[in-house]
Amino acid sequence: MNDKQKFLKVAIDVPINKLFDYLPNNKPCFIGQYVTVPFGRRKVIGVICGISLNSDIHPSKLKTVINVDDEIIFDAPMFKLLNFVSKYYHYPIGQTIMSVVPSRLKRNLNQLRQFELIYQSTPKLNRKFIDQLPSRQIRIRKVAEAILAKDRRQSFVMKLVSNWSECIKQLEAYGCVKSKKYEPSIDFTPSVAPSLNTEQLKIIKAITKKHGYQASLIFGVTGSGKTEVYIKLIESILNVPKSQVLILVPEINLTPQLESRFRKRFTNKKLVSLHSHLTDIERLDNWRKAKSGEADIIIGTRLAIFTPMPFIKIIIIDEEHDISFKQQDGLRYHARDVAMVRAKNTNIPIVLGTATPSLESWHNASRIDKKYNLLKLNFRAVKNSTLPEIKTVLVNDKTKNGISRLLVDEIKARLKRKEQSLIFINRRGFAPTLFCSSCSWTSECKRCSSKLVIHLKTKRLKCHHCGHDQNLISRCPNCDGTNLVSLGSGTQKIEEVLNTIFPEAKILRVDRDTTRSKKSLALLYQKMNNREIDILVGTQMLAKGHDFPFLTLVGVLDADNALYSPDYRAPEKLFSQLIQVSGRAGRSNIKGEVLIQTAFPNNPVFEGVKKHDYEIFALTQLKEREQMGLPPYSFAAILRAESKQLKYAEQFVNEAAKFAESLSNKVVIYDPVRPSIERLKGYERFQLYIQANSRTDLQKLLNQWASYLIQCPLSNRVKWSIDVDPIEF
Ligand code: ADP
Ligand code: ZN
Ligand code: ZN
């Protein structure tokens, strides 16, 4: 048996949905190892996914692997999950695997065992030494100066100069710099746990009394103590040796605040985080700690669902409704749904928590067969803290500068009381369009079907879809007239308007233009807590998770935009956004107030939000979805195609539609249409929505469809993808 010829089934990062056969070299090999293999004329990195005694190809025609790495990157349960994900989302297996491993691993096998270094100065490094450096050694000088100022991490030096490793080598040779392994210093003062209230205790009991797989949905208003429940659950699980916990959180901002809260409560446990703010090396390091079982708690964004964890005992998904759990390109998976499969496969509990459940989850929790266990927290946990009062304010086109009289008065009242206000508008920049009042020309992006946004501070016109960026013009390119005016408003304009109305107030604008880094966010907290800010103007960046104790007023300016959307999920998204943003008001014991400006105050979304009544809102939404046969009462997929030439995208989608019609009469194939952004980054787009009453019927069709599309002649002329359970249109 042993001397029989073995074949390695290798996953490679190419858009072909199969494993490739190779012959082993003389090194021992196992499933889950990285290999370097010849592929065409290239050398590529792949992963061994199987070792077999059979191959459809004769050994004489097969190539031999070049190199086998010692590290096993995935265990069997993870392979099972990835296989499922590849099949369910119809994404090639090799690309599926390669898109979930830390990027450092993919690049170069030789770098595998690297960890991050920190560079320190020796006594030899001083001012005099730097001044004596030849003047052409600008880069070395720059690095030396940085390290002289303080110890610097590798990731910092890498960004400082282009040939950083040469510079370091030189400085090490001079004996000026020495390096050692970087270990993040974690110095958190432990914080004390509040004793849980009866609602919270009931939930803990309900979840811990059962063993094995079960899905629970904690539906609790903002500030009701969901996080405290997670913490207690984690404590009880980590009491048993060889246990690990995975917590998934939404993408933006939330991580640092939540992370430090967990660290303070688990000072004697090893906690690592996995998210996009980490450097490649940090991410790899943390990933390895999870994989080896060394880390007890893993807290991360959507990709963290693919972290190998040998002792995983529970998965917690905070803010489960958040759309950042769905990846929107490449492998289009939904981390919550993948987590559900992972929990089932490993027979462990999964807990979802939110104040505004996704309608899918709500449906699962309120069905008669109770796919999820529904657990409620009805009140805010802090004594005397109540939910804010939410009102609508009628506005129309005549509302001056986009801010109503009432909102102005309320801000004024806050300024008097030294309380803070947050004005929420979902568009950054100054104004969405430049408009010529002589000839009606508007500033449109040449590469996208969207308007260029005016950024007055920097005097630019920018496309928020493709990044196109040009000088702000003062003459109309169409009629050469000078009657250019700005239409609509964005954060910059609102900031300016507020500055005029309240010249004494300290106003801070927070959007992606002003607040990119973790540091600026930390600074924001500091300023808010010290009451150095009176009014915050911000985009949805500010909607989530933040806790500002002196903020008592929230104004929402452009809620109506969502009501015009063709997306049937728009009301659901708007509802949760309004509840989230309202949750920022009155977190401590001063009562908060929320004013939503709208032209349609009787819309059910606003009616529901005003009463803080998610359940009524969800009930009416679900009824509508059921009547129209939409998800979660049916299952959908979208075929998206784009091409520089419209005709190819259109032909491809038309042909795909025709073929799909011939495959099944249980799947409804809609008419091919253009998405709401018809052209993006110079690519013309077309798409096709399909829907079935059963998941099995949909998957059956997708299987045949995907293999047809891969080999159909037009597929080379378009970029296309299948999006299963899409959440955007
Ligand atoms: P959520 O995650 O639902 O928004 P948190 O767990 O963050 O709620 O709790 C909101 C606030 O209430 C926090 O300041 C938390 O410390 C506090 N809190 C939570 N549970 C209790 C409790 N049982 N007693 C007193 N305070 C509590
Ligand atoms: Zn003009
Ligand atoms: Zn553009």
Side-chain angles (χ1 to χ4, degrees):
M1 188 76 185
N2 270 343
D3 23 47
K4 276 248 178 78
Q5 177 64 59
K6 282 186 192 152
F7 301 91
L8 305 182
K9 310 277 173 187
V10 176
I12 295 172
D13 192 357
V14 289
I16 303 170
N17 192 20
K18 63 172 222 172
L19 299 173
F20 295 85
D21 288 4
Y22 285 91
L23 301 175
N25 60 4
N26 47 15
K27 268 180 129 182
C29 47
F30 303 96
I31 291 179
Q33 271 173 330
Y34 264 119
V35 283
T36 317
V37 294
F39 189 79
R41 287 205 200 135
R42 295 178 296 151
K43 251 183 7 184
V44 299
I45 291 173
V47 181
I48 304 175
C49 291
I51 299 172
S52 163
L53 293 174
N54 305 303
S55 172
D56 295 339
I57 303 167
H58 194 268
S60 65
K61 296 215 167 122
L62 287 176
K63 292 179 178 159
T64 305
V65 298
I66 299 166
N67 193 3
V68 182
D69 193 77
D70 300 335
E71 186 173 14
I72 292 177
I73 54 157
F74 282 131
D75 50 7
M78 192 46 72
F79 263 123
K80 187 175 165 195
L81 186 68
L82 288 170
N83 244 317
F84 165 82
V85 166
S86 161
K87 291 210 170 80
Y88 185 81
Y89 292 105
H90 300 272
Y91 199 62
I93 180 72
Q95 290 187 305
T96 300
I97 290 177
M98 289 312 201
S99 41
V100 309
V101 290
S103 60
R104 191 78 184 191
L105 284 180
K106 280 178 272 186
R107 250 178 255 154
N108 187 343
L109 285 185
N110 298 329
Q111 289 181 340
L112 267 178
R113 251 146 309 280
Q114 248 191 38
F115 37 77
E116 184 164 33
L117 296 173
I118 184 157
Y119 301 109
Q120 299 169 318
S121 56
T122 68
K124 274 196 182 164
L125 184 65
N126 50 37
R127 209 49 269 164
K128 204 168 136 209
F129 169 83
I130 293 177
D131 291 340
Q132 280 168 358
L133 281 170
S135 54
R136 66 196 149 74
Q137 297 192 346
I138 322 167
R139 294 202 184 91
I140 295 189
R141 185 186 288 262
K142 213 167 167 185
V143 174
E145 275 179 357
I147 296 174
L148 179 63
K150 66 180 212 180
D151 294 356
R152 298 291 185 175
R153 282 162 64 182
Q154 192 175 0
S155 46
F156 176 88
V157 179
M158 283 164 99
K159 283 184 215 142
L160 199 63
V161 293
S162 53
N163 57 343
W164 65 276
S165 62
E166 281 305 308
C167 298
I168 290 287
K169 256 190 215 143
Q170 270 296 323
L171 289 167
E172 278 174 338
Y174 290 139
C176 291
V177 165
K178 60 182 191 318
S179 64
K180 64 173 196 185
K181 185 177 173 183
Y182 168 72
E183 291 284 358
S185 64
I186 296 161
D187 173 24
F188 276 104
T189 32
S191 71
V192 207
S195 48
L196 297 191
N197 58 39
T198 37
E199 275 192 332
Q200 288 169 315
L201 288 171
K202 240 170 81 186
I203 292 185
I204 307 268
K205 224 183 198 166
I207 295 173
T208 49
K209 75 169 185 239
K210 249 179 91 177
H211 290 279
Y213 169 80
Q214 79 176 301
S216 308
L217 174 66
I218 304 181
F219 166 50
V221 297
T222 51
S224 59
K226 294 182 289 295
T227 313
E228 282 305 322
V229 171
Y230 307 152
I231 290 174
K232 262 282 159 358
L233 272 176
I234 295 169
E235 265 170 13
S236 75
I237 279 166
L238 293 184
N239 271 338
V240 182
K242 289 213 164 186
S243 300
Q244 288 178 296
V245 170
L246 176 62
I247 309 160
L248 295 184
V249 296
E251 202 144 69
I252 39 175
N253 304 343
L254 206 60
T255 330
Q257 215 190 3
L258 200 70
E259 189 182 325
S260 82
R261 185 159 164 200
F262 277 99
R263 282 199 195 282
K264 285 176 183 171
R265 296 293 290 280
F266 294 101
T267 43
N268 59 349
K269 297 288 176 195
K270 181 120 200 143
L271 183 154
V272 299
S273 62
L274 289 167
H275 51 82
S276 53
H277 282 304
L278 300 175
T279 63
D280 284 356
I281 315 173
E282 283 173 319
R283 191 161 186 145
L284 179 60
D285 225 26
N286 290 350
W287 185 83
R288 286 213 174 103
K289 282 177 183 142
K291 184 170 72 95
S292 67
E294 185 191 340
D296 307 298
I297 303 172
I298 287 85
I299 175 166
T301 48
R302 63 170 180 262
L303 189 59
I305 190 54
F306 295 112
T307 316
M309 293 168 59
F311 310 123
I312 187 167
K313 292 287 150 36
I314 192 171
I315 304 175
I316 294 170
I317 304 187
D318 190 30
E319 311 285 0
E320 68 85 23
H321 65 278
D322 196 281
I323 56 170
S324 75
F325 287 122
K326 173 86 193 294
Q327 169 120 341
Q328 302 283 17
D329 54 16
L331 172 61
R332 294 172 158 78
Y333 66 98
H334 199 304
R336 181 193 60 221
D337 299 344
V338 175
M340 216 43 89
V341 176
R342 185 168 182 182
K344 260 184 220 163
N345 286 351
T346 24
N347 197 28
I348 56 168
I350 176 165
V351 175
L352 315 178
T354 173
T356 52
S358 63
L359 288 178
E360 277 79 8
S361 296
W362 187 251
H363 177 59
N364 283 330
S366 47
R367 286 155 54 125
I368 311 167
D369 61 358
K370 292 264 173 213
K371 272 182 83 177
Y372 299 174
N373 191 10
L374 180 62
L375 305 164
K376 293 187 194 177
L377 289 173
N378 292 304
F379 307 101
R380 281 200 163 172
V382 172
K383 265 215 180 79
N384 299 328
S385 161
T386 48
L387 289 170
E389 189 178 348
I390 304 179
K391 297 183 208 156
T392 46
V393 190
L394 190 66
V395 290
N396 51 36
D397 299 344
K398 291 185 196 85
T399 304
K400 211 177 145 209
N401 293 322
I403 303 181
S404 61
R405 190 70 243 161
L406 186 65
L407 184 54
V408 169
D409 289 344
E410 291 296 339
I411 297 174
K412 212 175 267 167
R414 295 308 181 292
L415 288 173
K416 252 192 207 135
R417 299 204 295 263
K418 285 304 285 170
E419 290 168 15
Q420 295 163 331
S421 308
L422 163 64
I423 306 303
F424 183 74
I425 176 163
N426 232 342
R427 185 181 285 110
R428 64 204 164 84
F430 182 77
T433 359
L434 196 59
F435 175 77
C436 173
S437 48
S438 313
C439 77
S440 300
W441 171 89
T442 56
S443 55
E444 271 177 34
C445 178
K446 288 199 176 68
R447 304 170 66 211
C448 310
S449 47
S450 68
K451 306 262 192 273
L452 295 176
V453 176
I454 308 168
H455 285 242
L456 209 58
K457 288 250 159 80
T458 46
K459 298 205 165 44
R460 314 289 299 170
L461 280 174
K462 288 186 195 178
C463 173
H464 286 185
H465 293 287
C466 72
H468 171 87
D469 188 340
Q470 65 174 72
N471 274 327
L472 186 58
I473 45 177
S474 53
R475 297 191 91 93
C476 171
N478 187 38
C479 71
D480 207 34
T482 51
N483 297 325
L484 292 178
V485 293
S486 62
L487 282 190
S489 43
T491 45
Q492 286 184 12
K493 183 161 182 184
I494 294 302
E495 182 190 15
E496 199 178 282
V497 170
L498 289 169
N499 265 319
T500 332
I501 308 177
F502 306 109
E504 273 91 63
K506 282 161 285 179
I507 301 175
L508 185 77
R509 175 165 56 91
V510 178
D511 55 29
R512 261 198 291 151
D513 297 325
T514 63
T515 313
R516 279 179 193 276
S517 66
K518 245 200 249 182
K519 256 193 208 132
S520 48
L521 206 68
L523 198 65
L524 166 72
Y525 270 101
Q526 200 186 332
K527 284 186 171 166
M528 284 297 280
N529 285 336
N530 295 341
R531 302 208 206 191
E532 288 164 37
I533 298 168
D534 300 312
I535 306 173
L536 272 183
V537 179
T539 56
Q540 62 168 358
M541 261 183 92
L542 280 179
K544 290 179 202 166
H546 303 288
D547 202 340
F548 304 119
F550 307 110
L551 191 120
T552 60
L553 174 70
V554 171
V556 183
L557 300 191
D558 61 348
D560 287 353
N561 281 343
L563 301 179
Y564 304 123
S565 166
D567 179 357
Y568 61 79
R569 285 174 203 270
E572 175 187 354
K573 288 179 193 161
L574 178 61
F575 188 96
S576 85
Q577 205 174 47
L578 289 174
I579 290 287
Q580 295 295 329
V581 76
S582 302
R584 299 316 112 222
R587 297 282 287 186
S588 54
N589 42 32
I590 325 170
K591 180 142 179 117
E593 190 181 355
V594 180
L595 293 180
I596 301 169
Q597 298 195 161
T598 173
F600 313 97
N602 297 327
N603 186 290
V605 174
F606 301 128
E607 293 285 343
V609 169
K610 273 192 271 193
K611 292 189 208 125
H612 293 275
D613 200 338
Y614 169 83
E615 296 193 40
I616 292 276
F617 171 75
L619 197 71
T620 45
Q621 281 291 309
L622 281 174
K623 238 186 224 148
E624 254 181 66
R625 298 257 189 108
E626 189 172 19
Q627 275 163 7
M628 305 204 296
L630 290 168
Y633 298 93
S634 60
F635 303 90
I638 293 181
L639 173 71
R640 304 177 202 275
E642 55 178 49
S643 161
K644 290 246 151 117
Q645 293 194 47
L646 177 60
K647 66 174 183 202
Y648 293 132
E650 186 170 10
Q651 272 173 24
F652 177 77
V653 172
N654 279 334
E655 218 160 275
K658 228 187 285 158
F659 186 73
E661 305 245 2
S662 74
L663 286 177
S664 162
N665 54 8
K666 289 183 179 150
V667 180
V668 184
I669 316 294
Y670 284 71
D671 289 334
V673 291
R674 307 206 65 182
S676 50
I677 297 170
E678 298 185 349
R679 193 176 348 109
L680 187 69
K681 302 181 186 180
Y683 282 86
E684 303 288 348
R685 307 159 91 202
F686 241 93
Q687 67 184 35
L688 181 66
Y689 181 89
I690 68 174
Q691 191 180 287
N693 286 331
S694 105
R695 197 165 249 154
T696 324
D697 288 338
L698 181 70
Q699 284 291 337
K700 235 194 234 156
L701 179 135
L702 287 175
N703 278 330
Q704 292 172 282
W705 210 30
S707 24
Y708 165 81
L709 293 175
I710 281 181
Q711 51 78 44
C712 100
L714 263 173
S715 73
N716 293 326
R717 297 198 178 260
V718 295
K719 289 203 271 180
W720 63 274
S721 61
I722 291 174
D723 190 352
V724 181
D725 306 328
I727 57 165
E728 248 156 44
F729 295 90

